[in-house]
Amino acid sequence: MIITRQQDVTDAVLDELARAPDERFREIMSAAVRHLHNFAREVKLTEAEFHQACRQIAKLGQMTTESHNEVVLAAGSLGLSSLVCLLNNGDDGQTDTTANLMGPFWRMGSPPTENDGSIVRGPTTGEPIFVDAWIQDYQGHPVAGAAVDVWHTSAEGFYENQDPGQENMNLRGKFATDQDGHIAFRSVKPAGYPIPVSGPVGELLRAQGRHNMRPAHIHFMIYKEGYKTQFSQVYSSDDPNLDTDVQFGVTRALVGEYVRHENQPAPTADIQGPWYSLECRFTIDPGQASLPKPPITGKAEGPRPKRVVLERAG
């Protein structure tokens, strides 16, 4: 089609997309083109603004490395990751779900760990926490033999892949549920943390007057044949940033009670002083078990990254 006016551009692109043999590809891309073109018309996008947007999109890819994924970080900061998760779980977004964001810090190959084992792989400061988790299906039956990946930050707010000072795979482990669908492990209580703001995501947050904090949480990934793989996060009920999570990930179903014990004997005799306990339950859907491509594959080198905390306006 030879273009004579601006509307012709959209029609021409849609006409070409109609040739695509894959029906779902046609549906998604046609909708994307219509919305994108109409967005440009609605805001009267200038050429300078368009080129600025292209530079930001390119920078998202340029800043994505083996130990950091700026693209996933951006999707979360716009609420897109959370929306897609909720649309695809809990009866297609109609009911509560224990599914949550995968996040940008899942690594393949966490060390297999026995139930009641520790995922602290080296010297790590922080108060001890003992976690019990149960996996069930929608009928409430325990799911035995599920592989459960666990990972979280240190008490200083760093995942091990960000922090060259932590042992490789520190605060990560893989467990198998027993006949009761149960796993248990020991770790240190995680801290909330600021997401990195040295790139396009930081510019986006500053422009909105938002902070960059995530509330403290522990990640779980549940995998078993015959069930849809579930990523989840259990958030600490005492965290001050639950209502303003920079990644819009906190759901009511996943606010957990991290119970502090000060004058009770700990589960192991080596603990002196306060410790925490957490109990949580996950319900998984029947479906096809599959694993996504890990957003990161390696560990950062050099100095520990500096924590930059943005203030929330208003």
Side-chain angles (χ1 to χ4, degrees), residues 28 30 36 49 56 114 172 180-181 189 196 200 212 260 272 296:
I28 292 172
S30 296
L36 189 59
E49 290 164 343
Q56 294 296 82
E114 293 293 327
R172 296 179 186 267
D180 297 318
K189 187 177 186 289
N212 59 326
R260 183 178 174 88
Q272 303 294 323
I296 58 170

Side-chain angles (χ1 to χ4, degrees), residues 211-291:
H211 71 59
N212 59 326
M213 294 298 295
R214 292 227 68 208
H217 55 276
I218 298 176
H219 293 264
F220 296 81
M221 189 277 288
I222 305 160
Y223 177 93
K224 182 176 172 63
E225 290 295 335
Y227 295 88
K228 182 180 178 182
T229 301
Q230 183 175 117
F231 284 87
S232 192
Q233 302 180 33
V234 179
Y235 299 91
S236 182
S237 59
D238 62 359
D239 194 285
N241 296 305
L242 283 178
D243 287 336
T244 55
D245 175 20
V246 67
Q247 298 280 284
F248 301 101
V250 179
T251 65
R252 293 197 181 278
L254 290 172
V255 177
E257 292 294 328
Y258 288 59
V259 181
R260 183 178 174 88
H261 305 268
E262 295 193 15
N263 300 304
Q264 296 172 274
T268 58
D270 63 306
I271 293 176
Q272 303 294 323
W275 55 281
Y276 285 83
S277 63
L278 170 67
E279 295 185 355
C280 44
R281 295 181 181 274
F282 304 94
T283 301
I284 57 177
D285 292 329
Q288 183 176 358
S290 62
L291 293 175

Side-chain angles (χ1 to χ4, degrees), residues 1-292:
M1 177 186 296
I2 296 175
I3 307 301
T4 58
R5 54 194 178 89
Q6 54 89 6
Q7 181 57 47
D8 291 343
V9 178
T10 305
D11 295 338
V13 177
L14 293 175
D15 284 348
E16 291 302 311
L17 276 170
R19 301 173 182 274
D22 187 284
E23 181 178 357
R24 180 60 173 162
F25 176 84
R26 289 199 309 272
E27 179 184 9
I28 292 172
M29 288 304 300
S30 296
V33 166
R34 287 195 300 271
H35 286 291
L36 189 59
H37 286 210
N38 286 336
F39 158 75
R41 293 185 179 99
E42 179 182 339
V43 302
K44 296 180 173 60
L45 195 67
T46 68
E47 291 166 307
E49 290 164 343
F50 169 71
H51 291 300
Q52 181 184 11
C54 289
R55 286 193 296 271
Q56 294 296 82
I57 292 170
K59 196 171 181 181
L60 290 173
Q62 292 161 359
M63 290 193 66
T64 296
T65 67
E66 290 183 344
S67 61
H68 173 78
N69 195 307
E70 189 81 2
V71 177
V72 173
L73 209 60
S77 299
L78 292 170
L80 182 60
S81 299
S82 185
L83 174 61
V84 171
C85 173
L86 293 175
L87 284 172
N88 285 275
N89 294 279
D91 192 22
D92 296 329
Q94 302 305 306
T95 62
D96 282 347
T97 177
T98 53
N100 204 248
L101 312 176
M102 176 175 71
F105 296 115
W106 175 58
R107 291 182 70 183
M108 187 79 80
S110 292
T113 309
E114 293 293 327
N115 263 343
D116 295 315
S118 175
I119 61 173
V120 179
R121 311 288 172 192
T124 307
T125 60
E127 294 180 302
I129 186 169
F130 293 84
V131 179
D132 287 274
W134 289 266
I135 316 300
Q136 64 184 27
D137 63 21
Y138 262 96
Q139 285 71 48
H141 302 136
V143 178
V148 183
D149 272 30
V150 174
W151 68 103
H152 64 80
T153 66
S154 68
E156 297 173 293
F158 291 102
Y159 291 92
E160 58 81 26
N161 61 284
Q162 299 174 296
D163 184 2
Q166 292 186 49
E167 291 292 327
N168 190 46
M169 292 292 183
N170 191 39
L171 307 180
R172 296 179 186 267
K174 177 174 284 188
F175 299 84
T177 56
D178 63 17
Q179 63 182 5
D180 297 318
H182 175 248
I183 66 166
F185 61 92
R186 174 179 173 174
S187 190
V188 297
K189 187 177 186 289
Y193 60 90
I195 66 170
V197 289
S198 59
V201 173
E203 294 181 34
L204 177 70
L205 297 177
R206 289 183 178 94
Q208 297 174 77
R210 290 169 57 193
H211 71 59
N212 59 326
M213 294 298 295
R214 292 227 68 208
H217 55 276
I218 298 176
H219 293 264
F220 296 81
M221 189 277 288
I222 305 160
Y223 177 93
K224 182 176 172 63
E225 290 295 335
Y227 295 88
K228 182 180 178 182
T229 301
Q230 183 175 117
F231 284 87
S232 192
Q233 302 180 33
V234 179
Y235 299 91
S236 182
S237 59
D238 62 359
D239 194 285
N241 296 305
L242 283 178
D243 287 336
T244 55
D245 175 20
V246 67
Q247 298 280 284
F248 301 101
V250 179
T251 65
R252 293 197 181 278
L254 290 172
V255 177
E257 292 294 328
Y258 288 59
V259 181
R260 183 178 174 88
H261 305 268
E262 295 193 15
N263 300 304
Q264 296 172 274
T268 58
D270 63 306
I271 293 176
Q272 303 294 323
W275 55 281
Y276 285 83
S277 63
L278 170 67
E279 295 185 355
C280 44
R281 295 181 181 274
F282 304 94
T283 301
I284 57 177
D285 292 329
Q288 183 176 358
S290 62
L291 293 175

